[in-house]
Amino acid sequence: MSTVHSSPDIGIQQATAPPEERRAPGGGRWTGRNPLVLAGGLALSWLVPAVLVALHLGVVLLPLLLIATAAVIRVGGVLLDRLFVAALILFGAVLTFGLAFSLWPWGLSPVATTGVLSSVLTVAAWAARRAPRLPLRFRWSDLLVLGTFAGFWHYLFHPVAGSSAAERVAYFATAEDRLSHFSFFSGIQSVGGYNFLHQDAARAYLIPPSEVTYPQGSHFLLAWVDRFFHTGADPGDMVQTMNRYFLYLLVAYALFCTALVWAARWIGGPRLRGWRAAAVCATVGSIMFASNYLDLLAHGFDSTFIGLLLIALALAVLIRPAMGRVEFLLAASAGLIAVTYTYNIYGAFIGVALLGALVVHRRRFAGRWWWTLGALACALAVAALPSVLSVMGDLDVASASNMSGPSVSADRAILIGGGLLGLLAAAMPRNRRTATGQAHLAVLLGTGGLLSAFAVYQLHTIGKYSYYFHKMTAVGVVVALISIGAVGSVLQTSHRGSGNAWTRRVGELVLSGLTVATALSLFANVQWGFLATKDSPSAWSANPLVAWGRGGFETDMGPKGMDGLKVLRSDGPVIALVSNDDVKNLKATWLASLMNRRGGDMKALYDIHWVDIGGPQVKEEDYQRSFGRLKGAIEKLPAPHPTPTILTADRSVGDRIKRDLAEHGLTVNVLSDPGILWTQPWGRTFPGTV
């Protein structure tokens, strides 16, 4: 009979089994390590991907990989918990094996990558004598976790439902950062792996030296996922590729908000049930519904919110590692690698949390410290590799850490108030005496210490908080939100009385419903049918998520429709001067470069940021200043290159540009057609920016 040794709060568990056999589900026995079982598993690991891809069903491999990972590990008592932890391990595995995928000849082939990952799972299960097994149990609060995803997806997808891929460009190209992130994604697709491992080839697709200086984990994960939806090595039509990338981002943001809800419940542990679980899940979800963090999506901060998604999963596991030592090391290593590869400055927070978990659970590793530290040292080396290459390249860490730029400010009420509430919960005797409570306290203090240290550094060096401080405070918001799980676990349980079980369950359901309604009212500004007056609109109507659902974040970016997008295509550099707005010209030019798989041209063409001509009625002083920038950008284009094409919205301006460039010995093609360009006024501003 198996035995399980665990801490009182279900901390790290270690299961042992008889050395020669284990009973499999359905009454069968696993006798030793049968080589035929291993051979059959390895054969299926390659046969199933090959057949599904041949049948154009490659996308089915994604849920199969997740379920297979969940079936091998032993974590959590319900299926949803198992799937979330399995997802974290799978993300880390893909990014780690991605180093090899980047160097072998098959690139991101869904058959080859799935075959390797499945083979590793097969060998691990065979070596551990583990039969695939899933806990087919659920908790009623699972509905709130899954409902969070459904609610966010409804609002995120609503404005683009039924629209074409070309029409969705208006939501895809909301910011320069989105175009930059897509260039990393496109580069990984084209070179077949990490850009920093193919630096010479990658420079054709993105702005150097970012191929080595910027973290690429989120782009690699999305490029890998895309190969299951579009299994050909060639990504195909770029408009369709942009559309798929945009849809992946919508899913990722909904998963980010859902992961926060799940992480808070996970930290609360098995004691968090009934109306208290409903209170925790509904409160975290409601806060995110009303949060300004939707601006992370609108501003194109793709790596940031995907990194925060991974942080939520990793911190939850480190605070409450209800699993065996092997699973803990796998999950901790996967979290460290995935977070650092996605947004490297966030790796410091995972490192502090991991150190706290090791100290709190030090007795669990007694006698196995060399093996444990050796495994974590290997994970740390893998996690640090891209950052080390960045520092060895052209990255100036000191100046980069103090750079300025538009950012999304953290909600100070959540950051400070939520953090203090988490400290209060961690300090309560019921939590303080548990390993989970101690690890939670270590994360709160460690996160606060890192944020304070970086704040002091910036105030000392530049006298203000800048771009990366606001990025780092987002981690503080994540910690504050998932800490609500610890708050819920110390709330007073409802009185069960002497009634029958049915009566108690109905009463608990009523209390849970009231709790959810209360949380939605207090934190998500839900009005429950009370209409706003013209002079006093409801807070719900001003909600960024609701505004997104109404189409409020649509831009007038670039050409309208597929016909307009076709004009941007060329074999050589394209400069799109779509109006007398320099920002719009820069975005349209960048979009054209991406559509032609020539993102590297933007190193020279970024000067278009200061070119505000192209439309009618150009002032002479603006023309002369902008023409100098335009001429300089064309001269910076690396030789040899095909003849550049310039698109303008005004024919007379286009003709003059061509004539003046010819006088300086520069030959260009000029195409002018005001009918293909959007003419709505530019001026959409996003709340929460700095």
Side-chain angles (χ1 to χ4, degrees), residues 115 135 173 279 503:
T503 302

Side-chain angles (χ1 to χ4, degrees), residues 46-61:
W46 291 88
L47 181 61
V48 171
V51 171
L52 289 176
V53 170
L55 295 175
H56 303 288
L57 295 174
V59 66
V60 177
L61 291 171

Side-chain angles (χ1 to χ4, degrees), residues 167-216:
E167 292 168 336
R168 290 176 184 174
V169 171
Y171 284 88
F172 165 83
T174 51
E176 296 173 40
D177 283 71
R178 170 70 37 72
L179 303 176
S180 178
H181 285 299
F182 182 78
S183 71
F184 286 98
F185 171 85
S186 177
I188 290 170
Q189 284 187 320
S190 300
V191 303
Y194 288 113
N195 293 310
F196 63 79
L197 295 178
H198 298 274
Q199 295 180 28
D200 291 338
R203 292 188 185 101
Y205 305 100
L206 43 86
I207 301 178
S210 59
E211 73 278 358
V212 67
T213 60
Y214 196 85
Q216 300 161 23

Side-chain angles (χ1 to χ4, degrees), residues 64-329:
L64 285 180
L65 267 176
L66 178 62
I67 292 172
T69 305
V72 172
I73 63 176
R74 299 293 184 260
V75 177
V78 296
L79 179 60
L80 191 62
D81 291 344
R82 180 76 65 86
L83 291 175
F84 269 104
V85 178
L88 176 63
I89 294 174
L90 183 58
F91 292 152
V94 170
L95 292 174
T96 302
F97 283 98
L99 297 171
F101 298 159
S102 300
L103 299 176
W104 69 3
W106 302 282
L108 302 183
S109 163
V111 175
T113 58
T114 304
V116 168
L117 294 171
S118 300
S119 297
V120 171
L121 284 173
T122 299
V123 172
W126 179 80
R129 297 187 180 92
R130 286 187 179 179
R133 188 176 64 203
L134 289 171
L136 301 179
R137 295 186 295 274
F138 74 96
R139 296 173 60 180
W140 287 109
S141 53
D142 288 353
L143 297 177
L144 290 174
V145 178
L146 298 175
T148 301
F149 180 87
F152 272 93
W153 179 254
H154 167 74
Y155 285 100
L156 291 171
F157 186 66
H158 183 266
V160 297
S163 58
S164 67
E167 292 168 336
R168 290 176 184 174
V169 171
Y171 284 88
F172 165 83
T174 51
E176 296 173 40
D177 283 71
R178 170 70 37 72
L179 303 176
S180 178
H181 285 299
F182 182 78
S183 71
F184 286 98
F185 171 85
S186 177
I188 290 170
Q189 284 187 320
S190 300
V191 303
Y194 288 113
N195 293 310
F196 63 79
L197 295 178
H198 298 274
Q199 295 180 28
D200 291 338
R203 292 188 185 101
Y205 305 100
L206 43 86
I207 301 178
S210 59
E211 73 278 358
V212 67
T213 60
Y214 196 85
Q216 300 161 23
S218 62
H219 317 104
F220 188 93
L221 284 174
L222 296 182
W224 177 72
V225 167
D226 190 57
R227 287 300 305 273
F228 292 86
F229 287 89
H230 184 83
T231 55
D234 186 340
D237 182 82
M238 289 301 286
V239 176
Q240 297 297 331
T241 304
M242 289 176 181
N243 174 55
R244 295 196 304 272
Y245 177 81
F246 174 66
L247 293 178
Y248 301 152
L249 294 179
L250 298 186
V251 173
Y253 187 81
L255 283 176
F256 162 47
C257 299
T258 305
L260 291 172
V261 176
W262 172 81
R265 191 190 73 170
W266 172 267
I267 290 172
R271 296 177 299 174
L272 187 65
R273 293 187 174 277
W275 74 271
R276 298 183 304 157
V280 167
C281 294
T283 297
V284 176
S286 297
I287 290 174
M288 287 306 296
F289 262 93
S291 170
N292 67 323
Y293 271 11
L294 181 77
D295 293 341
L296 293 173
L297 176 65
H299 278 309
F301 296 155
D302 303 347
S303 290
T304 302
F305 67 77
I306 295 176
L308 295 175
L309 158 63
L310 297 171
I311 279 181
L313 298 178
L315 289 182
V317 169
L318 293 173
I319 290 174
R320 181 177 165 261
M323 60 196 72
R325 281 186 291 265
V326 173
E327 277 86 353
F328 171 74
L329 290 175

Side-chain angles (χ1 to χ4, degrees), residues 291-493:
S291 170
N292 67 323
Y293 271 11
L294 181 77
D295 293 341
L296 293 173
L297 176 65
H299 278 309
F301 296 155
D302 303 347
S303 290
T304 302
F305 67 77
I306 295 176
L308 295 175
L309 158 63
L310 297 171
I311 279 181
L313 298 178
L315 289 182
V317 169
L318 293 173
I319 290 174
R320 181 177 165 261
M323 60 196 72
R325 281 186 291 265
V326 173
E327 277 86 353
F328 171 74
L329 290 175
L330 284 173
S333 299
L336 180 64
I337 292 170
V339 170
T340 307
Y341 274 45
T342 301
Y343 213 77
N344 49 12
I345 62 172
Y346 289 167
F349 295 93
I350 302 301
V352 169
L354 177 56
L355 179 62
L358 291 175
V359 172
V360 169
H361 295 285
R362 57 191 178 277
R363 294 182 181 178
R364 298 289 174 179
F365 300 101
R368 295 176 175 83
W369 274 110
W370 287 112
W371 182 82
T372 299
L373 294 178
L376 292 176
C378 292
L380 180 60
V382 174
L385 176 62
S387 299
V388 171
L389 293 177
S390 297
V391 174
M392 293 174 61
D394 294 331
L395 180 65
D396 184 341
V397 177
S399 61
S401 61
N402 288 327
M403 67 177 290
S404 299
S407 56
V408 179
S409 298
D411 188 316
R412 291 173 177 80
I414 299 174
L415 176 65
I416 300 173
L420 292 175
L421 187 61
L423 282 173
L424 177 62
M428 287 186 174
R430 176 183 288 188
N431 283 335
R432 192 174 65 243
R433 290 191 292 265
T434 67
T436 295
Q438 294 166 12
H440 179 213
L441 181 62
V443 168
L444 287 165
L445 296 177
T447 301
L450 286 175
L451 290 176
S452 299
F454 193 71
V456 170
Y457 168 76
Q458 287 209 321
L459 291 175
H460 175 72
T461 54
I462 59 176
K464 63 179 181 179
Y465 305 130
S466 68
Y467 181 79
Y468 279 113
F469 177 76
H470 295 292
K471 292 281 190 177
M472 293 177 72
T473 55
V475 180
V477 172
V478 168
V479 172
L481 287 175
I482 66 177
S483 295
I484 293 176
V487 177
S489 65
V490 298
L491 295 176
Q492 181 65 43
T493 59

